[in-house]
Amino acid sequence: MKKEVNKIRNIKTICVIFVCMVLLLQTFFDTGFSLASTLTPSLTTNPPFAVINQKLEVAALKNGIPSVILKAIAFEESSWRQ
């Protein structure tokens, strides 16, 4: 009986973590992403620094997070390269 209770508790914990991760990812990524848009030649070159900076500012403002945090995450993940 105790093992069953622990198993149910573990499943609930995993579900809560999964939901939190999904919500966190939705906060940082626009839901309008499309795989077809990644195939265009214009995305094979890196946009200018000013364009990336502006897009990160807008995304941070839209999602209510400090732009410095979003820029730091973006830089750590890709060095602002597409």
Side-chain angles (χ1 to χ4, degrees):
M1 180 71 172
K2 190 173 182 180
K3 286 184 179 184
E4 290 178 28
V5 171
N6 284 337
K7 188 182 276 188
I8 292 171
R9 187 177 297 144
N10 288 342
I11 291 171
K12 286 181 180 180
T13 302
I14 290 170
C15 289
V16 168
I17 291 171
F18 177 77
V19 169
C20 289
M21 291 300 295
V22 168
L23 293 174
L24 181 63
L25 289 173
Q26 285 180 344
T27 302
F28 288 110
F29 297 105
D30 185 17
T31 57
F33 176 75
S34 155
L35 183 59
S37 68
T38 62
L39 302 177
T40 58
S42 64
L43 293 179
T44 59
T45 59
N46 201 37
F49 174 81
V51 172
I52 297 172
N53 188 44
Q54 180 189 18
K55 287 184 178 189
L56 289 172
E57 289 279 342
V58 169
L61 184 62
K62 176 182 171 186
N63 292 298
I65 58 174
S67 63
V68 175
I69 301 294
L70 184 60
K71 289 176 186 178
I73 292 170
F75 187 81
E76 183 65 30
E77 291 296 321
S78 68
S79 300
W80 288 17
R81 286 178 283 206
Q82 301 301 311

